[in-house]
Amino acid sequence: IFRNVPLAPPDPIFHLTANYKADPFPDKIDLGIGAYRDEAGKPWILPVVQKAEALVVGDPQLDHEYLPILGLKAFRDASVRVILGADSPAVAEGRAVGAQSISGTGALRIGAEFLRRFRDAATTVYISNPTWGNHRAIFEDAGFAVQTYPYWDAAARGLDIDGLLAALRAAPQQSIIVLHACAHNPTGVDPTAAQWRQIAEVCRERAHFPFFDCAYQGFASGSLDRDAAAVRAFVADGFELFVAQSYSKNFGLYGERVGCLTVVAHEPAVAQHIESQLAKITRAMISNPPSHGARIVSRVITDAGLMAQWQRELETMAGRIRAMRQALFTHLQQLGTPGTWQHIVDQIGMFSYTGLSPAQCQTLIDQHHVYLSSNGRISMAGLNEGNVERFARAVDQVVRQ
Ligand code: PMP
């Protein structure tokens, strides 16, 4: 009965990782998937995570019962404060709620499902061009038509703010606009505070619904508050909105799937109703979320001392990535590599959008054993003092070919 099922293509980024792993070349470099690596190129278990995990597993009360449908209450409440700020009026007024999710992806998925049920079926979702590869699939799977708004100005290697604003102005009223809260993936280019105000203005004029995707809070600048500034500005402006929070990158808890959908409504009663519907959606989709990672994060974000340690460790990760941007830039300059490379130091977060063409990327893979996405995006975390010069030389050769 399944003879007509076509073969689905592999996911490009996970496929790239598999190819990297299969390559026997000793000095291969993995700049594909967005996962933090330390100076030795190894995954980093944050010391604060080790500490919190020891507390979790050492708790004599620990059991493996189901969590409630919406997850761990302490985690949800604290997660809302992490993104909106402990002093957020929306929190004080009881009109912000959080639903624990299967990381950022799950938060986007349950948020999308809610919107499909409770917004006009004809509502269009707008995602940036380019964006994280999964955005389109998540919203299409929820039944939405997905359009794009311009984001990247290839010539200027920066944000196409005019194109972005024009597209949001031209979008049908009450569209859903997916916005990267910080550290835009894949470009590493974020709007400035003034540009965020312009975006908010258009969203207000057109009654659009902002759906923030926040996968890198603390990772972009090293500061949780600074990286939440855009979301908080929209809340201060009086928007109702969703934020998909991921704790994959900022805690290094990728495989534990810890996330939260934070909802800000105008009134507490509305927030409660939305929360009840998210519970209904979650129940049918996953019944209830996993406990282990949420317990770890919860320990940290409900404790002032651990919270301070976490922020120092975020700064360690963000700082190492910044140092690698500088090192790559310096090497390219010393090599006199044709082209301008200033964008590498100007961009922020996990990724750099190099501007290398798909053909150049393929040559890097085939001839230099350097694995990167075909759109020229590199995960800066894959670089370290031991390989950055080799990578710069490889880029130099490829650009000159
Ligand atoms: N949004 C963006 C922009 C991302 O880059 C990612 C991770 N690559 C996610 C969401 C979701 O990741 P996760 O489901 O692991 O939280």
Side-chain angles (χ1 to χ4, degrees):
I1 52 173
F2 298 123
R3 270 207 203 100
N4 294 332
V5 175
L7 186 68
D11 181 83
I13 198 78
F14 279 82
H15 188 60
L16 187 75
T17 305
N19 288 346
Y20 165 79
K21 287 192 174 151
D23 183 347
F25 187 72
D27 292 331
K28 59 189 176 176
I29 300 177
D30 182 14
L31 306 179
I33 206 149
Y36 183 77
R37 298 288 176 253
D38 66 11
E39 189 44 48
K42 294 276 182 300
W44 192 45
I45 302 176
L46 273 60
V48 74
V49 165
Q50 279 174 325
K51 206 187 264 184
E53 188 167 34
L55 293 171
V56 169
V57 296
D59 181 351
Q61 307 288 324
L62 180 74
D63 57 39
H64 298 288
E65 296 295 291
Y66 292 125
L67 289 186
I69 295 169
L70 286 174
L72 205 60
K73 178 72 173 138
F75 165 79
R76 296 162 51 200
D77 291 348
S79 190
V80 170
R81 292 194 298 271
V82 166
I83 185 64
L84 300 183
D87 56 355
S88 169
V91 175
E93 291 157 18
R95 54 189 183 82
V97 293
Q100 192 186 321
S101 60
I102 306 283
S103 210
T105 305
L108 288 163
R109 185 64 181 88
I110 58 172
E113 188 63 29
F114 173 88
L115 292 169
R116 191 190 51 76
R117 291 180 191 195
F118 297 102
R119 298 293 302 245
D120 191 320
T123 306
T124 306
V125 172
Y126 282 79
I127 59 176
S128 64
N129 179 25
T131 192
W132 177 47
N134 218 5
H135 275 154
R136 174 178 290 279
I138 290 170
F139 284 94
E140 283 183 351
D141 276 6
F144 283 107
V146 175
Q147 301 279 353
T148 61
Y149 58 84
Y151 195 85
W152 173 250
D153 179 342
R157 303 229 160 131
L159 178 65
D160 178 6
I161 184 68
D162 294 336
L164 183 158
L165 294 172
L168 298 197
R169 267 191 212 105
Q173 291 229 358
Q174 303 191 358
S175 293
I176 295 161
I177 314 296
V178 178
L179 297 162
H180 296 232
C182 64
H184 183 270
N185 176 3
T187 66
V189 173
D190 286 347
T192 62
Q195 288 169 335
W196 275 119
R197 277 193 294 277
Q198 292 178 294
I199 295 168
E201 232 165 79
V202 179
C203 286
R204 177 183 319 289
E205 271 165 33
R206 304 291 298 160
H208 293 327
F209 181 77
F211 193 154
F212 281 94
D213 181 6
C214 189
Y216 299 92
Q217 192 183 357
F219 219 94
S221 69
S223 153
L224 290 169
D225 290 336
R226 222 173 304 148
D227 290 350
V231 171
R232 292 178 192 176
F234 272 64
V235 173
D237 250 16
F239 279 94
E240 295 190 295
L241 51 81
F242 284 179
V243 192
Q245 292 173 268
S246 165
Y247 291 104
S248 293
K249 325 274 158 154
N250 52 13
F251 270 98
L253 284 170
Y254 306 90
E256 298 297 342
R257 316 306 293 138
V258 197
C260 184
L261 178 67
T262 284
V263 172
V264 178
H266 281 155
E267 294 154 45
V270 175
Q272 296 310 314
H273 287 202
I274 297 173
E275 185 183 49
S276 71
Q277 292 293 342
L278 290 172
K280 193 167 166 236
I281 289 166
T282 298
R283 175 76 173 126
M285 253 185 208
I286 60 161
S287 196
N288 48 74
S291 58
H292 185 67
R295 284 184 175 134
I296 295 171
V297 171
S298 191
R299 286 272 175 173
V300 177
I301 64 179
T302 58
D303 179 287
L306 293 179
M307 191 75 182
Q309 182 180 346
W310 179 38
Q311 300 200 47
R312 287 194 297 276
E313 291 168 10
L314 278 169
E315 178 50 49
T316 300
M317 293 192 282
R320 199 186 82 71
I321 288 176
R322 276 197 300 270
M324 283 307 110
R325 289 186 184 282
Q326 192 57 53
L328 176 57
F329 178 67
T330 305
H331 283 302
L332 290 170
Q333 287 229 303
Q334 281 166 357
L335 291 164
T337 309
T340 59
W341 301 98
Q342 179 63 31
H343 56 285
I344 289 181
V345 275
D346 290 344
Q347 293 167 355
I348 59 165
M350 183 78 96
F351 301 107
S352 184
Y353 211 48
T354 57
L356 293 167
S357 69
Q360 290 170 328
C361 294
Q362 197 56 48
T363 309
L364 281 169
I365 296 173
D366 295 342
Q367 294 178 12
H368 299 271
H369 306 269
V370 172
Y371 290 78
L372 74 170
S373 303
S374 59
N375 62 4
R377 184 194 82 165
I378 57 172
S379 175
M380 292 307 299
L383 293 177
N384 54 56
E385 289 297 344
N387 66 14
V388 63
E389 185 174 354
R390 182 171 108 66
F391 174 62
R393 287 188 184 283
V395 170
D396 186 70
Q397 280 184 27
V398 162
V399 167
R400 289 175 197 275
Q401 260 170 16

